[in-house]
């Protein structure tokens, strides 16, 4: 990523307050049909939308996907199954590096912690939640809201074994929608390519295009130990994309901040993003330093390093966008426009009040405890899975002693089944990595909160971060799934009786973290929800329905077209072909070709389309989203954005912002000539 | 460092455009006698100032010191001799960890690369340099200035074996002064305490107070293989400091940016500091990750890790200061005040023009090539000593073929003797560290300039950063001082004939780096020098001589008093005592006591003053500066600033900004009861 070039990236015109061409991550119950018709001549009908929605999959690990066969075959990105491949690997058998292929279904292997979810209905529950909130503020608001949500969720899903209910907060509190899901908690790995084929070019090519990466993989949904029979699935269409053709991306964008006020954006620019990036930089360095020259650490640390580098690069782009004067001016102009329009309507002005000032006050309050909250609660453990297990076990036990309506949202009845699965599924733990993550967390906490802070003294006692991390990791038994299961099921009695040092550590230190969480909810979440809810009312009053909510890791659809772009006089073609792999390869990591791909050079059709770009508006969480043609068939899976897309967290630029897609044709080429998988091809082609 | 607390640190009133109480790093030819008299009742006379100046030492490694015996004994900080202790150590004999004591003079050991310099005269050469510049701009200005400086320096010092001449640019170009030094290029280590005694509390306690650290060490100046006989030296005075007594700190503050314009500060805040901090974070992580669990890497990487962590913390404080709205407002108000005053004087206004706009233009230009310039020139090699040797050898050979007036400033005749010493002195090279530094540099360069940039392709060819770093380090012979000496003396013929891979790498890649250096000089240095020179004229016209120049790592004197401070209701006493070591120790690194200190607990006078704080205005480079009482005797050595002092880069806050000092009494206690050194004590006490 050229940090210099980024400086000037955001000069193009964009960011009207109402969405413009190709902008928007729309909910399925508010698809902008008229707008799409106006731009592209036609738009999907309700049947199309229903079918696509019923084929779209959310992967609870943070990705999107689609069902592509009646036997529950699921198409997603390789980087979405990478944690699974790594969990299934051993020092003798590295499925990340070598790829994975189940030659028959008996060889398909369960992905620990993974659940797949398909939306079955969306219901507006705004009135019910807002009535519960009434005129409450701060902590009372948050508690009333969460109680109402817990109530709706537990009443709405009666069969927790196969259903999940989730109330989603949209427009920061302007709308509440109940999403009902059919869930599948047995998800198995079917196929993954070699890592170097899927992520050729590594971090240097991440968020770049032209790109050469077969970042596609397959999972399968199981129930009762058998593949499911899917009522809906997308038609697999391995044809190449056509320049200019309309494309729909259906998936779960994770989060955007396009409706943030200037105060919130300033906080991100000056506090949250810089501090996060500093942590990620040191984290990355510690991983690289530890893995260097150690093959087993290189294998077992790879997925964490990928995640850290990916986060770093994405946030760096966001930060640079906020530091870009032109970009910042446009965001400021948007806010000003809304203020002016509200002021022009005296009745509206009275109704809306001054939400900006309220948010500014909340941001100032947040700033005063951001450090403690970040280090003791939000980032506690920084990546340590053992710590996450311990804290979830302790909190689940504590919360389950309370009525549903009074629990922290993560521990209400509707959330427990997935939590239990994530806690009790077996997966490998790498002690060196756990120790590194914990030591880093403790050391950074001490650095930022200072060595003499009482909360730091409680955390460390007389031990150094390294000694404490070593003692906790060496002593804990939480790497054993059976022990975690016993603790989860044993509740508070089991937790209090536990002599596990990590459980004891969390019992000792968690009250402070929980207090900070409550403080965040009372002093930031509550006031911001109240204010953003009124801002949403103002936007609806002024812009009508021509607006979409910020991303929430729930199902959205974006429309766009296959299209390259021109930047600083250079025009980028919309697609790459397989030949590019061989032209770009240097032999040196990360531009080395993996063995099977290299060996297949003679067989591969080098002119076949590999990756392509579209104008769809997406963000992190959309990875694996099907890219769907007008006829409803799938022609690719989104796996990245270009470098210009990173400012998309705050505003969409139709001129430069692009989605990067691996084509279905590329997957076919791989399954035919690189990783031959005739059974899989047959299944994909079945009518 | 509590990043939260820092947010609010800078609310106190300060930063008048003319210096206020205790503010200022004054040059010896412009000591503010009247002001000091006004505040403290009396002030040093010229004899006092001359004597002190003649006893003050600049250490070319980046520190300050003072002569404290007639036999050339030099008092400084332990962290100023740490690189020397490490260079003299082996895996069998770790002088950093265990300390060093020469029981007689035959055991005193030469510090590689170290030179000591004592100012003998200061001459104003402003008119001569400014006449040479005339009305030139940009590149022409820079070249005329540098030619004039080279000319003055080479004409003024006739005996390069014992003299050094340096023309210093003050007020960004408002003044030029010739500093003439008596130099000593044989500097030997006499005494250093255990690292854990000198840096107890490590990074967490760095920039903190109360503090417990005997950060004092001794060197000795030699000539012709014998200790020198010093004409001037400070009287060693091991008495405790008195609260409120006046103190003078005499040393070489490295750099401050108090005269920067808003455009320059904005660039620091949004570009330079963030990017530097990200690099330092990853660098720190890589070092920690590599050193973890490896005793020899832990030993050999220690000095680099200390430097990286120290830089990171200092710059973090600077960055947070610039992000603090109150602090930033005050800096903006200063600039505005100056603009208003200039505007009020029509004649002055015509003379001064609009230097702010010129600087803004230069900053914008700099921004456009900052990335390339940073990675290919300014930070090239990121810490690799072998790379530094190679580049200096190549450039010295190239530059020496030119007339003195046309050379890059670093390679003029007056600079070559020290350069030659630094290149040819023997010192250990740690290949793992060299490889790590080079791989990080190449990898970050690729990341920031992008993999497809032609300059990156030229750097890497078909190799990965790791492969290239490995090949260069494994193949180069530059770790051998004899080979470096031969190359230095052999000039261009030797360089061009060399098959050394690192020399060849630099020959191939350096033209691009040099071109960027020229660009920086032409597009930033030139215009800013012209503009700052007029700003300096304006300041002199308006504020008279009541202003001091930004720090330039040349000799300055600051005045102040022994004084604690009160922050957020907590009052910090001005001194700590030895007993604090034992109270604060936890046994866990970095709060563990080293063996000799721990063993001496029964003998140590726990009530004796260890460290103390004063209101003197100092910054990095002042480490080791003598803290001098009104009678001219030395009562301590400055070794740190408190956390509030970090915004001092941009403005001095008399309420909170403190210098942290190790007392001479503490050194006495150490030499008496912890590291018994009767001969040294006798020498210090000699009349």
């Amino acid at each position: 990523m050229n940090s210099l070039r980024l400086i000037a990236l955001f000069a193009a015109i964009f960011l009207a307050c109402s969405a413009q061409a190709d902008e928007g991550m729309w909910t399925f119950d508010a698809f902008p049909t008229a707008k799409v018709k106006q731009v592209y001549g036609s738009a999907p009908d309700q049947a199309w939308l229903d079918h696509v929605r019923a084929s779209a999959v959310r992967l609870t690990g943070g990705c999107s996907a689609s069902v592509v066969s009646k036997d529950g075959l699921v198409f997603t990105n390789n980087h979405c199954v990478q944690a699974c491949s790594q969990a299934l690997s051993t020092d003798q058998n590295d499925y990340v590096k070598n790829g994975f292929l189940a030659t028959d279904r008996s060889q398909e292997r369960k992905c620990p912690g993974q659940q797949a979810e398909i939306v079955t209905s969306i219901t507006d529950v705004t009135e019910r939640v807002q009535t519960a909130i009434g005129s409450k503020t701060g902590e009372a608001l948050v508690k009333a809201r969460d109680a109402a949500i817990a109530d709706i969720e537990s009443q709405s899903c009666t069969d927790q074994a196969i259903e999940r209910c989730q109330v989603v907060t949209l427009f920061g509190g302007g709308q509440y929608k109940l999403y009902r899901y059919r869930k599948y908690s047995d998800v198995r790995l079917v196929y993954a390519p070699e890592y170097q084929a899927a992520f050729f070019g590594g971090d240097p090519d991440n968020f770049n295009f032209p790109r050469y990466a077969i970042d596609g993989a397959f999972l399968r949904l199981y129930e009762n130990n058998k593949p499911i029979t899917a009522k809906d699935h997308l038609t697999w269409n391995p044809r190449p994309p056509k320049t200019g053709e309309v494309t729909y991306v259906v998936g779960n964008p994770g989060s955007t901040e396009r409706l943030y006020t200037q105060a919130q954006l300033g906080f991100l620019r000056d506090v949250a993003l810089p501090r996060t990036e500093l942590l990620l930089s040191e984290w990355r360095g510690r991983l690289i330093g530890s893995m260097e020259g150690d093959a087993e650490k290189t294998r077992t640390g790879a997925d964490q390093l990928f995640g850290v580098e990916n986060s770093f690069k994405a946030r760096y782009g966001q930060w640079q966008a906020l530091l870009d004067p032109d970009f910042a001016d446009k965001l400021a102009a948007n806010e000003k426009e809304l203020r002016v329009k509200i002021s022009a309507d005296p009745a509206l002005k009275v109704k809306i009040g001054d939400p900006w000032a309220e948010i500014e006050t909340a941001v100032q309050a947040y700033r005063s405890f951001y450090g403690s909250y970040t280090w003791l609660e939000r980032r506690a453990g920084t990546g340590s899975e053992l710590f996450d297990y311990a804290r979830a076990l302790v909190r689940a036990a504590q919360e389950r002693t309370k009525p549903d309506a009074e629990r922290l949202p993560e521990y209400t009845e509707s959330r427990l089944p997935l939590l239990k699965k994530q806690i009790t599924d077996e997966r490998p733990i790498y002690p060196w990595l756990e120790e590194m993550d914990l030591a880093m967390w403790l050391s950074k906490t001490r650095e930022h909160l200072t060595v003499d802070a009482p909360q730091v003294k409680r955390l460390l006692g007389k031990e150094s971060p390294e000694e404490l991390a070593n003692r906790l990791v060496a002593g804990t038994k939480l790497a054993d799934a059976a022990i975690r299961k016993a603790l989860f099921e044993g509740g508070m009695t089991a937790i209090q009786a536990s002599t596990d040092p990590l459980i004891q550590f969390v019992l000792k230190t968690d009250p402070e973290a929980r207090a900070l969480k409550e403080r965040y909810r009372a002093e930031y979440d509550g006031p911001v929800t109240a204010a953003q809810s009124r801002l949403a009312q103002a936007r609806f009053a002024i812009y009508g329905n021509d607006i979409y909510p910020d991303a929430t890791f729930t199902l959205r659809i974006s429309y766009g077209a296959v299209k390259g772009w021109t930047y600083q006089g250079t025009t980028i073609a919309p697609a790459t072909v397989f030949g590019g792999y061989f032209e770009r390869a240097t032999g040196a990591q990360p531009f080395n070709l993996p063995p099977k791909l290299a060996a297949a050079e003679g067989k591969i059709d080098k002119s076949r389309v590999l990756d392509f770009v579209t104008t769809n508006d997406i963000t992190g969480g959309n990875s694996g989203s099907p890219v769907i043609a007008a006829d409803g068939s799938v022609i690719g899976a989104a796996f990245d954005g270009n470098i210009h897309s990173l400012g998309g967290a705050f505003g969409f630029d139709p001129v430069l912002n692009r989605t990067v897609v691996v084509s279905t044709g590329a997957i076919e080429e791989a399954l035919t000539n690189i990783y031959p998988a005739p059974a899989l091809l047959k299944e994909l082609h079945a009518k």
Side-chain angles (χ1 to χ4, degrees), chain A residues 486-497:
Chain A
L487 283 167
F488 187 85
E489 289 172 352
M492 265 325 275
T493 314
I495 292 292
Q496 278 165 339

Side-chain angles (χ1 to χ4, degrees), chain A residues 302-321:
Chain A
D303 192 53
Q304 188 172 104
L305 179 60
F306 166 79
V308 167
E309 291 188 335
N310 188 58
S311 262
F312 175 83
K313 199 167 180 178
R315 284 163 206 267
Y316 188 77
Q318 294 172 12
W319 187 18
Q320 296 305 306

Side-chain angles (χ1 to χ4, degrees), chain A residues 21-55:
Chain A
D22 298 359
E23 176 178 350
M25 303 166 183
W26 304 89
T27 57
F28 267 78
D29 59 352
F31 184 74
T33 305
K35 189 151 209 164
V36 176
K37 271 195 183 140
Q38 180 197 322
V39 179
Y40 289 102
S42 66
D45 60 17
Q46 194 57 44
W48 190 104
L49 290 170
D50 289 347
H51 172 65
V52 157
R53 194 195 69 193
S55 308

